[in-house]
Amino acid sequence: MVKVAVLGAAGGIGQPLSLLLKANPLVTELALFDIVNTPGVAADLSHINTPAKVTGYIGDEQLGDALKGAHVVVIPAGVPRKPGMTRDDLFNINAGIVKNLATGAAKHCPKAFVAVISNPVNSTVPIVAEVFKQHGVFDPKRIFGVTTLDIVRAATFVSEITGADVASTNVPVIGGHSGATILPILSSLSHSFTDAQRDALVQRIQYGGDEVVKAKNGAGSATLSMAYAGARFVSALLDASVLKKAGVKECTYIKTDVAAADGVEYFSTVVELGVDGVAVAHPLPSFSEHEKKLYAAAIAELKVNIQKGIDFVAKSAAL
Ligand code: APR
């Protein structure tokens, strides 16, 4: 039995993500949890002739049933920013949602892989980790921030410049999952870019999400491409843990010591996945002079983001 639970399954990301997971033949049970609309989404998806049995769960009292026995938990739950809301307001709401869902996962499926999509990922992953620590079930190999959209975007944008086949273009993107914390390693490619091309590419990869927000006229952010990226990451987890495929690699944001020397304990890096989650976390690559500067900027911002997540859990525990 391979049960995947999607928390926030009725949302802009959650629905297409659930569709893609329903199309994954390795999934035998798909649990769709949200505070609204999951019975409808589940009924709709349940007519698709793939193996996964789909069930909708709605409201906090059904969270435990949605999570029980889950092999993978994916979390795209959150709220969009509304007029009058500050970034801090938004952070506090999403952080509270993630903390509540993580508490459910720590209680009902402590051994599941947890893939966090809810933003800000740089802070929400430490929130999940702190909650799991409080419950005595934290395993850093099993909790992931999904940064796959950065890798997907980087491959697309780079291949537009190089003309190389997009499907065989692989650009490692490490660091974090927002703005200046996103660190594409363009120096690892055989193509040599001009400084202007390089700067434009880095900027586009770091702020690609803004193109979508602008094109949607403020009505939302990336949902379809994020759902694709989330489904690709879950598929990699299942290939490694269910099919026991060797050599499954993805970049993902985890608790790791790869950048500990520079004072951060969470970092996205290339990870080899195995039956228990992270089998090997690759060390930092060798940086170009330009990437060294980007790395320093990423570290400075990551420190603040990580601390914000840790403080959120500590503060709410003290209340
Ligand atoms: N438990 C479960 N689901 C919740 C909760 C909760 N406590 N609170 C809100 N949700 C659900 C909403 O009901 C909605 O269906 O999360 C879903 C979010 O969907 P959208 O508002 O459409 O947002 P979306 O664009 O999908 O983004 C979700 O992902 O990338 C991040 O920044 C983004 O944090 C945001 C999240």
Side-chain angles (χ1 to χ4, degrees), residues 107-121:
K107 280 187 195 154
H108 298 286
C109 55
K111 294 223 168 264
F113 298 126
V114 180
V116 186
I117 292 174
S118 312
N119 273 316
V121 161

Side-chain angles (χ1 to χ4, degrees), residues 245-271:
K245 242 195 214 173
V248 180
K249 281 187 204 165
E250 286 288 346
C251 292
T252 177
Y253 182 74
I254 53 171
K255 184 165 192 302
T256 172
D257 58 8
V258 299
D262 298 300
V264 300
E265 48 175 344
Y266 291 84
F267 201 79
S268 179
T269 188
V270 179
V271 158

Side-chain angles (χ1 to χ4, degrees), residues 101 152 251 317:
L101 297 173
V152 165
C251 292

Side-chain angles (χ1 to χ4, degrees), residues 7-14 33-36 60 76-80 94 97 100-101 117-120 221-223 226:
L7 312 183
I13 295 168
F33 175 82
D34 203 299
I35 49 172
V36 291
D60 270 351
V79 293
N94 276 1
I97 291 171
N100 177 50
L101 297 173
I117 292 174
S118 312
N119 273 316
S221 47
T223 52
M226 184 60 240

Side-chain angles (χ1 to χ4, degrees), residues 297-319:
I299 289 288
E301 206 170 305
L302 268 173
K303 275 185 191 160
V304 177
N305 297 162
I306 293 165
Q307 198 55 47
K308 202 168 171 183
I310 293 172
D311 288 348
F312 180 84
V313 177
K315 251 185 265 159
S316 39
L319 290 177

Side-chain angles (χ1 to χ4, degrees), residues 37-303:
N37 298 341
T38 38
V41 178
D44 196 353
L45 288 179
S46 70
H47 290 183
I48 297 174
N49 60 335
T50 55
K53 182 178 164 292
V54 189
T55 310
Y57 298 88
I58 192 161
D60 270 351
E61 61 290 348
Q62 295 190 6
L63 179 61
D65 287 336
L67 289 169
K68 252 171 237 157
H71 184 76
V72 181
V73 178
V74 201
I75 310 183
V79 293
R81 193 153 154 204
K82 301 202 185 77
M85 218 189 240
T86 65
R87 267 182 199 284
D88 272 341
D89 293 338
L90 185 76
F91 171 82
N92 283 322
I93 295 172
N94 276 1
I97 291 171
V98 170
K99 179 172 172 271
N100 177 50
L101 297 173
T103 303
K107 280 187 195 154
H108 298 286
C109 55
K111 294 223 168 264
F113 298 126
V114 180
V116 186
I117 292 174
S118 312
N119 273 316
V121 161
N122 293 353
S123 309
T124 50
V125 170
I127 288 174
V128 175
E130 290 298 308
V131 169
F132 271 60
K133 280 185 206 168
Q134 283 178 346
H135 287 79
V137 292
F138 177 55
D139 177 353
K141 299 195 297 301
R142 292 175 177 269
I143 293 175
F144 310 90
V146 181
T147 60
T148 318
L149 182 52
D150 305 321
I151 287 88
V152 165
R153 282 185 180 138
T156 303
F157 301 160
V158 163
S159 78
E160 282 175 18
I161 304 281
T162 61
D165 172 23
V166 68
S168 48
T169 300
N170 284 309
V171 187
V173 183
I174 65 172
H177 184 56
S178 70
T181 67
I182 297 172
L183 179 49
I185 308 299
L186 298 178
S187 65
S188 68
L189 303 173
S190 51
H191 190 92
S192 50
F193 301 99
T194 64
D195 285 1
Q197 279 178 326
R198 177 202 65 196
D199 291 349
L201 266 175
V202 169
Q203 169 79 17
R204 194 169 180 213
I205 295 164
Q206 289 182 330
Y207 296 95
D210 293 353
E211 290 180 20
V212 181
V213 170
K214 204 167 155 217
K216 289 190 176 180
N217 269 326
S221 47
T223 52
L224 303 173
S225 50
M226 184 60 240
Y228 170 83
R232 169 173 142 174
F233 186 71
V234 173
S235 175
L237 278 176
L238 297 181
D239 285 351
S241 63
V242 177
L243 294 182
K244 301 186 172 40
K245 242 195 214 173
V248 180
K249 281 187 204 165
E250 286 288 346
C251 292
T252 177
Y253 182 74
I254 53 171
K255 184 165 192 302
T256 172
D257 58 8
V258 299
D262 298 300
V264 300
E265 48 175 344
Y266 291 84
F267 201 79
S268 179
T269 188
V270 179
V271 158
E272 291 173 32
L273 295 168
V275 284
D276 294 316
V278 176
V280 181
H282 287 203
L284 296 177
S286 56
F287 292 135
S288 66
E289 285 309 310
H290 180 251
E291 285 162 358
K292 280 184 193 159
K293 289 190 199 124
L294 294 176
Y295 174 74
I299 289 288
E301 206 170 305
L302 268 173
K303 275 185 191 160

